[in-house]
Amino acid sequence: MEQVDIENTEVQISSSKGLSLKGVIQVLYQPSAFFQQIKKSPKILIPYIVLGILAFIFLFSTIDLVMQVQMNSPQFQQRMQGQELTPQIKQIMKISILGGGVIAMLLTPLIEAALAIFWGNFVLAGKAKFKKLLSVMIYGEIIYALGWMVTMPFMLLKHSALVSFSLAPLVAGQGPESMIYMILSKINLFLIWEIIAVGIGLSIIYGVSRNKGYLLSFLSVGMLSVLQIIFTGIGKLFF
């Protein structure tokens, strides 16, 4: 009996070791089975590194397109006040976009996990450790980052940053700074996919129904998109 237990333990340890990278793919098509394993053995470091690499690749490859959108915006033109855009300024912009974008992508799961623990532990009186919630959020963000990677070749082919798997291209003529563009950009295939996958994960971590898991996912992952729209709208009213 003891020998069987030892063998089972060795199998579990071996499976857990490969879970970090395997989960990058498994979360796409078997989120329920994958998050059952994450509940027992949450993974942080390796998926975080994968997320950072995906963000870097995407921003590095499309940085000229992203810069062009920023330079064409009325806010940027107002800040420049007719000054010449020197190579030094362009280089600073590239570093800022690249570094800021990667950092923002890495901070997002932390904020989402904090929101999830607030709603799940304090409001709904559930019990979950921050590490498990963070692991779920990181893998959820990887789904969104993979959406970037799918979008990237289309952006490069069309020489435009205004390409996405959302409803935003329907109002591309109004520009990315418009409220309607920002709202429709949140109706995004990969964002919806992320919210659903994270909802499944949260339902497993908290041991609640799928519907409650989806609600928690919206109140954490979806809330960031809602807050972005709200703050942008406030900014347009006062500035």
Side-chain angles (χ1 to χ4, degrees):
M1 178 64 70
E2 291 180 359
Q3 184 177 358
V4 172
D5 290 340
I6 292 172
E7 289 177 355
N8 288 337
T9 301
E10 289 177 349
V11 170
Q12 290 175 0
I13 292 173
S14 176
S15 175
S16 177
K17 283 184 178 179
L19 185 62
S20 295
L21 285 176
K22 184 175 69 174
V24 174
I25 302 301
Q26 193 175 2
V27 72
L28 300 175
Y29 68 96
Q30 283 185 325
S32 182
F34 172 64
F35 286 127
Q36 289 285 359
Q37 298 176 80
I38 286 296
K39 185 175 183 178
K40 299 175 183 177
S41 180
K43 304 300 179 184
I44 302 295
L45 180 59
I46 292 179
Y48 235 145
I49 292 173
V50 171
L51 181 61
I53 290 173
L54 291 175
F56 179 85
I57 291 173
F58 173 79
L59 290 169
F60 184 81
S61 302
T62 62
I63 195 163
D64 289 332
L65 301 176
V66 176
M67 277 185 60
Q68 192 60 48
V69 171
Q70 287 199 0
M71 290 187 294
N72 291 338
S73 69
Q75 290 84 353
F76 181 82
Q77 296 295 335
Q78 187 176 6
R79 286 199 303 268
M80 290 301 295
Q81 296 180 345
Q83 296 181 22
E84 182 184 357
L85 193 61
T86 63
Q88 290 79 6
I89 295 177
K90 287 185 177 181
Q91 189 62 29
I92 292 172
M93 285 182 64
K94 284 186 177 182
I95 294 173
S96 176
I97 292 170
L98 188 57
V102 172
I103 291 172
M105 194 65 166
L106 296 179
L107 287 177
T108 298
L110 288 168
I111 299 172
E112 292 170 345
L115 287 170
I117 208 166
F118 169 76
W119 292 109
N121 286 28
F122 296 102
V123 177
L124 299 182
K127 291 183 180 180
K129 292 184 178 180
F130 184 80
K131 183 178 181 180
K132 293 182 180 181
L133 296 176
L134 179 58
S135 183
V136 170
M137 297 305 178
I138 294 171
Y139 280 102
E141 280 303 307
I142 285 176
I143 293 176
Y144 192 70
L146 288 173
W148 281 8
M149 302 305 291
V150 173
T151 307
M152 182 176 68
F154 295 99
M155 293 173 63
L156 297 175
L157 285 172
K158 293 191 68 174
H159 302 287
S160 172
L162 306 183
V163 178
S164 70
F165 287 89
S166 72
L167 298 182
L170 297 176
V171 293
Q174 298 193 32
E177 304 294 328
S178 67
M179 279 297 297
I180 185 63
Y181 185 96
M182 178 168 291
I183 292 171
L184 292 181
S185 71
K186 303 307 177 184
I187 308 176
N188 182 298
L189 173 63
F190 287 92
L191 178 57
I192 294 171
W193 190 351
E194 176 189 0
I195 291 174
I196 292 173
V198 168
I200 293 171
L202 293 179
S203 71
I204 291 170
I205 298 298
Y206 278 105
V208 297
S209 67
R210 285 285 172 87
N211 286 339
K212 284 188 178 180
Y214 295 142
L215 175 61
L216 285 172
S217 181
F218 177 77
L219 291 173
S220 51
V221 177
M223 187 57 66
L224 290 186
S225 296
V226 173
L227 290 174
Q228 183 183 4
I229 293 171
I230 292 173
F231 289 139
T232 300
I234 293 173
K236 288 182 178 297
L237 286 175
F238 292 98
F239 300 99

